[in-house]
Structures are given as structure tokens and as C-alpha cells.
Amino acid sequence: MRLLSYQAADGPRTAVQLRDDLVDLNQADPRLPRGMRQLLEMGADGRQRVAQLSGNSGRLDPAGVRRLAPVPDPQKVICIGLNYADHAAESGAEIPAEPVVFCKFPTAVAAPGEPIRLPAVSGKVDYEAELVVVIGREGRNIPREQALEYVAGYTCGHDVSARDWQLHKPGGQWLLGKTFDSFAPMGPDLVTPDEVGDPGQLGIRLRLNGQTMQNSSTRQLIFSIDQLIAYISQVCTLCPGDVIFTGTPPGVGAARKPPVYLKPGDLVEVEIDKLGTLSNPVVAAG
Ligand code: MN
């Protein structure tokens, strides 16, 4: 199942791809909520209702649908750093013994097609293709063996990173460089686990103006999805709609010689097997 959020005149709404049709959930079945987070909170009941939709009502004109991030308003945007061994090596970092965890504020979330806005205060904004996990069920201290039961689905993510603010500010924290507005594009769809299969077997690529800059597979993840969920849930309750950016493979701009940083007019595409392509233009924030 492929779910998506879109911007309607009255606010964000949720739709499902039914064969060739896009169907608005709440229009097709008023017992289904408008928002993705509220749908995920319904759990199995919500999933069953969506699976039963016929497509006879609530059909949308795809040309008129302006997608939002699959979860436009996550409570938490959790990110994992240095989760591909070869990316750790190109960054000059050691392979971590435990996951490196940081976060972005929800104000960083951006929609498919929405411009990434380069802040005037940074000259080193870099790209990072990432598999994003969407949490579907509340949980704390989740055992690794049950962790994938807490996954609502997967989507493509772009962990836009201002290297000068990430690495060269006092205290060694990464937050500021990672959380400028528009630095967390996600989409295009939330694809449910039954369609994705093994999340540890997905090709992941990033193209900058059509040129492939990252090309790897989630087979290379140091900490797998179930390990990450178990690890993070020791600390905080994971809630429906929370998202986890799982780290980027090698090929980032800062590790190149000479370095490559984003500039106005660029187009960045993150493509992951079975999930589709997340495409965002780059503009100056002004
Ligand atoms: Mn990252």
C-alpha cells in the first residue's frame, strides 16, 4: 500500500494509491481521519478500513494533488549519523560502537518538490540520501525481535546538512547544521512494509543535476532498522508518525576533492528501490 499526504484547500489530507487511482481516505470513508498521523494512531483498524476502500468515492485528480511529506507534522525527526561504514571512513570518523543519534526540528520537514532553501549564513550545504522509517505504533523499550512490528512504512529522505554549522561550532553538537528550515525533505509516499519486503536490501541513490553522487544499498547499514528502533526506544517513547532518518551512504559533497556544495538552481533526487524518487530544487533563502 502506498499512502501519501497532500495539501488541500482546507489543510493537509491523506490519500492512498488504489491501482491507477488516488483516493482521499476521509472522503471515501468519513470514519477515516484527514491526517496521516491520526490514521497511523488508528492502528490495525485504520489499516483495515483503508484496505477495504473500493475507489468508488473520494477519487482525486492526480494532476491537482500537491504532495506533502508523508507525515507533514511528525512529533520527532530522529536521525542516525555515520551508519554506513564507507561513509564513516570518507568522513574520517571511526565506525561507532553504538548508533550516533541526533535530531531535526519538525520545522525542517519539506515536501516533495519543495525548494531546499540555502541559508545566507552557511556556505557549505551538503546533500545526504537516506532511507526513512515511519513509526506506526507507540512503544517504549521495544525488543529488537518485535521492532519491525512498530514500522508503519518507509519513504525517501534527504538529510540536508550545513557542514560549517554541523562540525565547526562549539560543543560538538550537530543539531543546528541539520535543522535549518527545509532541511528534511521526505516523500513521495509512505510505502507499507508488505510492499517493501526486507528494508535491509534496498538500493539507494542520489543524483545532483542528473549526475549520480551516491549509489549504495541498505545492506551496508551498520545498525539495522530493528536495532535502531530497539536502541532509541530505550530512551524515549516512539509514537505513531515519528520518523527515523537511518544514515547516508558514501559520496557526500564534503568528502569530495574538490568539495561539492549545493547552490541555487540545483536539483537533488533521492531514489530508493520500491519507494520512488524524492526530488527537490535548491534556492537561495534570500
Ligand atoms: Mn545523515
Side-chain angles (χ1 to χ4, degrees), residues 80 102 128 130 159 178 247-248:
I80 308 302
F102 61 97
E128 295 190 354
E130 308 206 0
D159 174 15
K178 296 285 194 174
T248 203

Side-chain angles (χ1 to χ4, degrees), residues 76 78 80 99 101 135 137-148 150 225-239 242 244:
K76 304 186 203 70
I78 301 167
I80 308 302
V101 183
I135 297 295
R137 194 173 139 192
E138 185 174 304
R140 179 84 206 276
N141 289 320
I142 300 166
R144 184 177 171 187
E145 309 74 58
Q146 292 165 24
L148 293 182
Y150 289 76
I225 309 298
D226 53 341
Q227 280 178 296
L228 294 173
I229 290 171
Y231 184 83
I232 296 163
S233 73
Q234 299 176 104
V235 176
C236 58
T237 303
L238 290 174
C239 302
D242 287 353
I244 306 174

Side-chain angles (χ1 to χ4, degrees), residues 120-143:
V121 293
S122 172
K124 294 186 174 179
V125 178
D126 203 349
Y127 54 81
E128 295 190 354
E130 308 206 0
L131 171 68
V132 170
V133 181
V134 181
I135 297 295
R137 194 173 139 192
E138 185 174 304
R140 179 84 206 276
N141 289 320
I142 300 166

Side-chain angles (χ1 to χ4, degrees), residues 11-34:
R13 301 189 67 113
T14 308
V16 62
Q17 185 89 47
L18 282 185
R19 295 167 297 278
D20 293 335
D21 292 323
L22 274 183
V23 173
D24 181 283
L25 300 187
N26 171 258
Q27 287 175 24
D29 178 351
R31 292 165 300 187
L32 286 166
R34 294 178 175 203

